[in-house]
Amino acid sequence: MNPANTLFTISLIGNALASNIGTFLAFRLISGLGGSACFSISGGIVADLLEVHQRGVASALITTGSVSGPVFGPLIGGVIAQRAGWRWIFWVLLIACTVVTAAIAVFAPETNAVVIIHRKTLRLRKDMGRQDLRSAYNPDRNLTRDPWPLLAQAISRPWKMFLYCPMVVVLAFMAGLISGILYILLTTTSTFFQRVYHWPLETAGLAYLGLGVGSLAGLFVFAKTSDLIAVRLAKANNNIYEPEMRVVTAFLPAVLVPVTFFWYGWSTYSQTHWIVP
């Protein structure tokens, strides 16, 4: 994760200094490549550190960051853009990300047991002069082998899961659809409130607080119910936990998405009082 965070942080310099739209979009692509690692790895970190019945709260806490960013980002960014110019949005992000990336690199330990024992095995081999030592997790693995096959396996594995596991396909399309709809909302809300309700740029960012409050409320409900539901379903399944048991918590709230988007679309089209949308 550290190389990805570093890539994301460095790319912000290019965003701030971009002289044309092509350069800007290229560096935004690089930012996306670097920033995506946190979303991919966070679930694995939770699984490494916590038991099944404790992961709901931890997952909710981690997701709070990805929910708060799109909500408070436009609010803070609007103030910065109006008072200091849009380039300073990326300079402020560069400062914040440099601090966070450095803190993670220095203070965040490795959590994967396989990697931890792998490193310990290498250290004991050197300290004890015992080249016959093997990791308990992968005793037959050559610890100094070429990393490229491992990288190829890591890249191909998610696609195999997507192609051969129906539940992954369902969740991927569900998450993709809701994320797409969410980002349509995020990219249009500020502009809409400026044009229809004539809010200044700084004030238009406040419109995202409704989304933020709803998201935090949803995460709170998930944190309180996810572990309880997973444990109850596992007991009913002869104490065998299945990952799909977490999905139950997601489908009922998902019904609210089309309902509330109809509400938002109707209220904006009819130009009702701003509190309605």
Side-chain angles (χ1 to χ4, degrees):
M1 184 166 67
N2 290 329
N5 288 342
T6 302
L7 177 66
F8 175 77
T9 302
I10 294 175
S11 69
L12 295 173
I13 300 176
N15 294 142
L17 298 176
S19 57
N20 55 69
I21 188 65
T23 304
F24 181 79
L25 292 177
F27 278 102
R28 292 305 289 159
L29 173 63
I30 297 173
S31 297
L33 292 174
S36 63
C38 291
F39 295 99
S40 304
I41 295 173
S42 59
I45 293 176
V46 171
D48 287 341
L49 296 177
L50 301 170
E51 299 295 334
V52 171
H53 63 279
Q54 300 173 321
R55 294 174 186 171
V57 175
S59 298
L61 289 175
I62 288 180
T63 310
T64 301
S66 60
V67 168
S68 301
V71 172
F72 293 105
L75 177 60
I76 299 173
V79 175
I80 295 174
Q82 184 154 330
R83 294 176 180 262
W86 67 267
R87 294 182 188 274
W88 266 100
I89 294 176
F90 295 99
W91 291 125
V92 172
L93 282 173
L94 176 64
I95 296 170
C97 290
T98 299
V99 174
V100 173
T101 299
I104 291 175
V106 173
F107 297 109
E110 176 62 60
T111 61
N112 189 296
V114 176
V115 177
I116 294 173
I117 299 302
H118 168 84
R119 294 175 178 174
K120 184 175 182 180
T121 304
L122 290 178
R123 186 171 63 252
L124 290 176
R125 279 184 177 185
K126 180 179 179 180
D127 295 342
M128 301 175 62
R130 293 277 306 276
Q131 297 302 313
D132 59 320
L133 291 177
R134 295 289 185 271
S135 168
Y137 285 97
N138 44 5
D140 299 325
R141 177 185 172 190
N142 181 2
L143 299 180
T144 59
R145 71 174 185 172
D146 185 4
W148 293 109
L150 186 63
L151 177 62
Q153 182 188 49
I155 293 175
S156 62
R157 182 182 296 155
W159 292 102
K160 291 179 180 178
M161 294 174 63
F162 181 79
L163 293 173
Y164 297 112
C165 182
M167 183 54 67
V168 172
V169 176
V170 171
L171 290 177
F173 277 108
M174 177 180 174
L177 177 63
I178 293 180
S179 296
I181 293 174
L182 174 64
Y183 278 95
I184 291 175
L185 180 64
L186 290 172
T187 54
T188 59
T189 297
S190 178
T191 304
F192 173 80
F193 277 87
Q194 290 179 68
R195 292 179 178 178
V196 176
Y197 295 105
H198 307 293
W199 289 10
L201 179 60
E202 294 182 21
T203 307
L206 295 173
Y208 293 100
L209 291 180
L211 179 65
V213 172
S215 299
L216 292 176
L219 288 175
F220 178 79
V221 173
F222 176 83
K224 286 293 186 180
T225 59
S226 179
D227 289 332
L228 296 175
I229 292 174
V231 170
R232 179 172 296 181
L233 292 176
K235 288 182 178 179
N237 193 37
N238 296 321
N239 291 320
I240 299 175
Y241 170 76
E242 299 289 349
E244 290 81 3
M245 294 175 180
R246 295 282 180 187
V247 182
V248 176
T249 318
F251 279 104
L252 184 59
V255 177
L256 295 175
V257 175
V259 173
T260 51
F261 265 86
F262 177 82
W263 180 346
Y264 178 76
W266 165 80
S267 60
T268 53
Y269 180 77
S270 301
Q271 299 186 15
T272 58
H273 188 273
W274 60 265
I275 196 64
V276 179

